Amino acid sequence: MLNQIKGLHHVTSMAGDAAENNRFFTHKLGLRRVKKTVNFDAPDVYHLYYADELGTPGSVMTYFPFPNIGKGRPGVGEVGTTVFSVPEGTLPFWEKRFTEQDVSGLARDEQFGEKRLSFAGPDGDGFALVEAKGDSRAPWIKGGVGNDEAIRGFHSASLRLRDGGATEELLKFMGYETVDTSGNIKRMALKDGNGADVIDIETLPGASFAGLGAGSVHHIAFAVENRAKQLEVRKALMETGYQVTPVIDRDYFWAIYFRTPGGVLFEIATNEPGFDRDEDTAHLGEALKLPSQHAHLRDYLENNLQPLGD
C-alpha cells in the first residue's frame, strides 16, 4: 500500500464560456483565481485555476473553457460531484447567497451524517457544499465571502461507476480506507491527508457511460509532496499493471496520468513548485502566463482570448 498520497490536489473540468466560468468561481463561490494561463495542447484555450489564497493543493479547481463546446452527458466513468468544505452552520448563508445569485440546482440533504447543499455550475457541473467539522484550512477572504463562511477547500469527490470494485481496490492501494457505506455509495478516506481526504464511489450498474463536454470533469488529481514521491508512486502503479504516462512538467506542478478500471482519468501531481513560481503571491492570477513553448504566441493570444471581465 502506498503512503505518498496526501489527498486531492486539483480537479480539472471543461467549460464553455470563459468569462462566465470566471465570474461563477470568483464572484459567486468567492474563490481566488490563482492562475490565468493556457492549455498546453490547445494554446488558444485558457487554463484557469481557482483556489484559496495560495493555490494550496486540495483547494484547486481548474478549467479548460472551450468556446462552442457541446454540453457534457452525465453518466458512469466520470467524477460525478465535486464537493467543497464549508464551516458548520453556514449552509443557510450559502443557500441564500446562491438563491440571490440565481445559482441553479439547489437541494439540501444529509449524507454520512453531514449536512450538504448541492448546486450546479454554469455548465451544469455537479457541485456540493458540505458542513465539515474542524476544517482548520485558511480560506480566501477577499472574494466577497467572509472568514466565517468561506470555502476551505475540497471536501471530497464522488466517482460514478458501473462497478466500483476494482477502483475501490486501487484506492486502497493508494492509501485510502473504506470507512462507511450508504445505499449504493461507498465512502473511502485517507488518514492524515491535506484535508481533501474523501472519495465516494457511487455504483450505478445500469447507467450509460458519460460523454465529455462542458460541465464534465476531465480528470481528478491526487497530491504528493515532491517529484521523488511521485516517481515512487509511478513505479508502484506500473508494477501493479497500470499504464502510466511519463512525468510531465505543468509549470506549477509535475504530473503523471493513468486511466482507472472504471474509466476515470487519475493524475498524481506534486505540491511543488506551486503557483508563485512565476507570479508574486499578492498578484496571483492577474497576468496571462504562458508555457515557454507558447511564449511566441503572446501577442496573438492577448488579442484573441476572450476577455474575462475581471
Side-chain angles (χ1 to χ4, degrees), residues 78-214:
E78 68 172 354
V79 175
T81 307
T82 304
V83 184
F84 297 96
S85 170
V86 295
E88 288 186 281
T90 61
L91 287 188
F93 165 87
W94 283 103
E95 188 169 22
K96 181 176 184 290
R97 179 181 177 85
F98 285 165
T99 299
E100 291 172 348
Q101 298 195 6
D102 296 320
V103 175
S104 63
L106 299 182
R108 291 278 292 269
D109 68 346
E110 189 169 309
Q111 288 188 12
F112 299 103
E114 296 171 322
K115 295 178 180 179
R116 173 182 171 112
L117 174 64
S118 299
F119 63 100
D123 291 294
D125 325 49
F127 290 122
L129 301 177
V130 162
E131 290 186 355
K133 297 178 181 178
D135 191 338
S136 61
R137 291 177 290 175
W140 172 243
I141 57 172
K142 297 180 181 178
V145 181
N147 180 74
D148 291 342
E149 297 87 14
I151 288 170
R152 267 43 185 176
F154 292 128
H155 169 275
S156 59
S158 70
L159 311 180
R160 285 198 294 245
L161 308 173
R162 276 190 173 174
D163 182 349
T167 300
E168 181 182 357
E169 291 305 310
L170 167 62
L171 287 167
K172 287 179 179 177
F173 181 69
M174 291 170 60
Y176 286 77
E177 299 178 358
T178 303
V179 295
D180 206 350
T181 301
S182 177
N184 66 331
I185 302 174
K186 188 166 289 188
R187 171 152 289 189
M188 306 192 71
L190 190 72
K191 287 184 177 179
D192 303 318
N194 60 14
D197 305 328
V198 175
I199 298 290
D200 290 335
I201 297 177
E202 182 179 6
T203 303
L204 300 166
S208 60
F209 283 97
L212 187 67

Side-chain angles (χ1 to χ4, degrees), residues 25-64:
F25 284 94
T26 60
H27 295 188
K28 296 185 179 183
L29 291 190
L31 298 178
R32 185 183 195 187
R33 191 182 70 224
V34 294
K35 198 61 59 180
K36 179 172 66 172
T37 183
V38 297
N39 188 310
F40 273 78
D41 302 314
D44 57 341
V45 173
Y46 280 116
H47 192 176
L48 303 175
Y49 293 78
Y50 311 101
D52 63 8
E53 180 178 7
L54 304 177
T56 307
S59 74
V60 186
M61 188 79 211
T62 99
Y63 272 88
F64 301 135

